[in-house]
């Protein structure tokens, strides 16, 4: 992994403060996600071979991280199909029910009271005729939650995540690792990648993260928006995970760093104009895969009237998308945007684990400097209360 910052900023005091804040969380074990690379290794030997699809019933932090990893690797490894039953959209749910022939269901809710998840679960019980002691049903929740109590009552196998791990930081816990292992993913490599990055950070070998965190936190009024420009369609779900991670963690007490996720080169045609000639006030992060595995070339074909694009003939599509990324980056640098880039040498499981841990620690570091509670979401709870009163 390669991390480059294209802005000249140094605040040693803030960087030291951010490191000490995050180190305190890590050493005190008050915040649990730092320790998941070790504690989740216990899931490496679980086996669910009797099912052809994995169906996730969950929303937000209970599904986005798992979906991000699956979407990145589903065409790279021989995996079982994963279907995500997230949104109480009846058209979406009916369509996805039709895709499921021999599914293993995971009901995932940290609190055990997520209204969308439990409502969809009830419909799954009805539609797929699930009964107590069903072998094709598993529960993932907090210890002692209403959902765990249900699992005990029904005789359903239940996996717990640590209570000190918040939903949006939970992908490396049972929430993500158990369903991904059931789908055939080598979770050991993901966890090892996350552990490697965490260890390097606390050994002070990833200081770029502190520089970025201090810049974002000390300049949030000037640059209140961070745009993640991810140059690969398979990163679409990852940008959704990033949006929740930043949005729920850092938007508090009248402060915010608003996350915006885009996919290159698609969104060059829908968002770049705004960046180039809009109001500014944004930081831009480019996420790029340097080496795509397939040597997939643009044919050396000359078509009548279409020769204006022939200069890319016989080059790979990987070259094209990465050159587009570089061109967009250079254009935005010329507009004096604060730009940084994350380059994955190749798309592999260890790099994915590193990327997840990078963003989680970055979020914690920024939150500590903003002096917000990175791990709660009171604004979300207010909306849930209002919803309950509408029925």
């Amino acid at each position: 992994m390669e991390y480059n910052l294209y802005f000249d900023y140094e605040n040693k005091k803030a960087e030291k403060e951010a490191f000490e804040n995050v180190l305190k969380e890590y050493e005190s074990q008050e915040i649990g996600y730092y320790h998941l690379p070790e504690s989740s290794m216990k899931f490496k030997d679980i086996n669910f071979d009797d099912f052809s699809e994995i169906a996730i019933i969950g929303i937000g932090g209970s599904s986005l991280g798992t979906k991000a990893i699956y979407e990145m690797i589903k065409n790279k490894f021989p995996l079982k199909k994963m279907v995500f039953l997230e949104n109480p959209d009846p058209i979406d749910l009916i369509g996805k029910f039709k895709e499921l022939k021999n599914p293993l269901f995971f009901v995932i809710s940290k609190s055990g009271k997520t209204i969308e998840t439990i409502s969809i679960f009830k419909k799954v019980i009805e539609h797929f005729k699930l009964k107590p002691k069903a072998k094709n049903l598993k529960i993932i929740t907090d210890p002692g939650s209403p959902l765990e109590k249900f699992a005990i009552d029904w005789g359903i196998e239940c996996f717990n995540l640590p209570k000190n791990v918040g939903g949006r930081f939970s992908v490396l816990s049972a929430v993500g690792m158990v369903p991904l292992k059931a789908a055939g993913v080598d979770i050991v490599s993901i966890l090892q990648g996350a552990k490697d990055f965490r260890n390097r950070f606390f050994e002070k070998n990833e200081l770029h993260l502190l520089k970025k965190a201090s810049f974002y936190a000390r300049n949030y009024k000037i640059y209140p928006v961070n745009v993640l420009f991810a140059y690969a369609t398979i990163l679409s779900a990852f940008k959704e995970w990033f949006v929740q991670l930043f949005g729920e963690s850092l938007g508090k007490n009248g402060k915010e760093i608003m996350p915006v996720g885009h996919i290159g080169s698609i969104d060059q045609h829908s968002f770049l104009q705004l960046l180039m000639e809009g109001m500014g006030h944004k930081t831009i992060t480019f996420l790029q895969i340097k080496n795509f595995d397939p040597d997939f070339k643009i044919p050396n074909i000359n078509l009548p009237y279409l020769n204006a694009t022939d200069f890319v003939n016989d080059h790979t599509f990987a070259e094209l998308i990465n050159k587009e990324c570089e061109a967009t980056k250079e254009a935005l640098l010329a507009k004096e945007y604060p730009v940084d880039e994350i380059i994955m040498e190749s798309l592999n499981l260890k790099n994915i684990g590193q990327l997840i841990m990078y963003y989680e620690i970055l979020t914690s570091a920024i939150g500590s400097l903003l002096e917000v509670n990175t791990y709660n979401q009171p604004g979300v709870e207010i909306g849930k209360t209002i919803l309950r009163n509408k029925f």
Side-chain angles (χ1 to χ4, degrees):
M1 300 279 283
E2 182 180 335
Y3 307 89
N4 297 309
L5 306 179
Y6 294 93
F7 50 85
D8 185 21
Y9 178 84
E10 189 172 283
N11 187 326
K12 291 297 185 183
K13 182 180 178 182
E15 291 167 30
K16 182 174 183 290
E17 181 184 348
F19 182 80
E20 290 175 350
N21 290 340
V22 173
L23 180 63
K24 182 180 179 181
E25 290 183 350
Y26 172 55
E27 291 182 338
S28 69
Q29 300 198 25
E30 291 176 4
I31 304 302
Y33 80 82
Y34 298 102
H35 304 280
L36 292 175
E38 288 86 7
S39 63
S40 290
M41 282 292 180
K42 63 178 174 284
F43 303 124
K44 65 183 176 66
D45 295 322
I46 59 173
N47 198 337
F48 303 110
D49 281 341
D50 297 335
F51 306 97
S52 54
E53 307 105 9
I54 308 299
I56 306 296
I57 306 172
I59 194 169
S62 296
S63 65
L64 287 175
T66 306
K67 188 177 182 181
I69 294 174
Y70 174 70
E71 292 293 329
M72 281 191 262
I73 62 174
K74 68 179 182 181
N75 295 321
K76 189 177 176 70
F77 300 101
L79 304 178
K80 293 178 183 177
K81 182 178 183 179
M82 299 190 82
V83 176
F84 294 85
L85 306 175
E86 303 167 283
N87 200 16
D89 169 349
I91 295 174
D92 180 64
L93 290 173
I94 290 168
K96 287 178 176 176
F97 281 10
K98 292 177 181 177
E99 296 178 38
L100 298 172
K101 308 302 179 186
N102 180 31
L104 171 61
F105 292 101
F106 285 94
V107 184
I108 308 175
S109 169
K110 181 174 171 62
S111 69
K113 298 183 288 186
T114 310
I115 188 166
E116 298 92 343
T117 299
I118 302 306
S119 298
I120 294 170
F121 179 36
K122 290 175 181 177
K123 192 63 182 178
V124 165
I125 289 173
E126 178 190 71
H127 184 88
F128 293 93
K129 298 179 173 55
L130 300 184
K131 303 292 182 184
K133 302 187 186 303
K135 297 298 184 183
N136 63 334
L137 176 61
K138 310 295 175 183
I139 303 294
I140 302 176
T141 187
D142 267 357
S145 78
L147 193 52
E148 184 183 58
K149 292 174 182 177
F150 165 83
I152 294 169
D153 184 75
W154 263 40
I156 302 298
E157 186 175 15
C158 183
F159 300 89
N160 292 134
L161 67 156
K163 279 199 169 184
N164 63 352
V165 174
R168 58 189 173 276
F169 288 86
S170 68
V171 62
L172 299 178
S173 74
V175 166
M177 295 300 98
V178 172
L180 286 167
K181 179 63 171 64
V185 178
D186 172 17
I187 65 170
V188 172
S189 292
I190 295 174
L191 294 169
Q192 188 61 53
K195 180 181 177 180
D196 289 347
F197 183 87
R198 183 204 64 198
N199 289 350
R200 289 198 306 272
F201 174 80
F202 287 115
E203 291 163 1
K204 298 187 176 180
N205 293 320
E206 301 285 0
L207 296 179
H208 56 88
L209 185 151
L210 295 171
K211 186 174 181 179
K212 181 174 174 178
S214 65
F215 179 83
Y216 281 22
R218 293 296 182 249
N219 294 281
Y220 77 92
K221 291 183 180 179
I222 303 170
Y223 301 107
V225 178
N226 176 238
V227 178
L228 175 62
F229 232 134
Y231 271 75
T233 304
I234 55 175
L235 296 171
S236 292
F238 179 83
K239 70 176 175 59
E240 294 173 5
W241 174 79
F242 151 76
V243 165
Q244 186 199 16
L245 184 68
F246 257 38
E248 270 193 1
S249 299
L250 304 178
K252 288 161 192 165
N253 301 342
K255 302 173 184 178
E256 69 174 69
I257 298 173
M258 180 179 176
V260 176
H262 286 292
I263 292 297
S265 65
I266 296 168
D267 291 325
Q268 288 177 195
H269 298 265
S270 62
F271 196 74
L272 186 55
Q273 171 63 39
L274 182 151
L275 289 175
M276 290 300 294
E277 296 187 0
M279 294 175 63
H281 309 308
K282 302 170 186 67
T283 58
I284 318 291
T285 299
F286 288 91
L287 176 57
Q288 180 179 1
I289 301 169
K290 189 173 182 180
N291 296 304
F292 290 81
D293 282 342
D295 189 20
F296 203 54
K297 282 193 171 185
I298 301 162
N300 191 12
I301 296 173
N302 306 106
L303 298 173
Y305 306 104
L306 302 179
N307 59 344
T309 64
D310 283 355
F311 64 93
V312 297
N313 282 5
D314 214 30
H315 290 273
T316 66
F317 280 93
E319 286 180 277
L320 174 58
I321 196 168
N322 284 327
K323 295 291 186 188
E324 289 183 303
C325 179
E326 292 168 16
T328 305
K329 179 185 70 181
E330 290 176 18
L332 293 172
L333 283 170
K335 300 291 288 187
E336 299 185 346
Y337 275 99
V339 168
D340 72 285
E341 66 182 356
I342 303 168
I343 301 175
M344 304 172 76
E345 183 68 25
S346 62
L347 187 69
N348 60 55
L349 295 171
K350 283 190 174 181
N351 281 343
I352 290 170
Q354 289 189 56
L355 186 64
I356 289 167
M357 186 59 73
Y358 164 86
Y359 263 104
E360 290 181 340
I361 295 177
L362 176 66
T363 304
S364 294
I366 295 170
S368 76
L369 291 176
L370 289 175
E371 298 181 324
V372 300
N373 184 338
T374 309
Y375 308 105
N376 69 354
Q377 52 278 337
V380 177
E381 300 308 321
I382 292 169
K384 290 179 181 177
T385 301
I386 293 171
L387 174 63
R388 181 175 295 275
N389 292 334
K390 287 185 175 293
F391 283 88

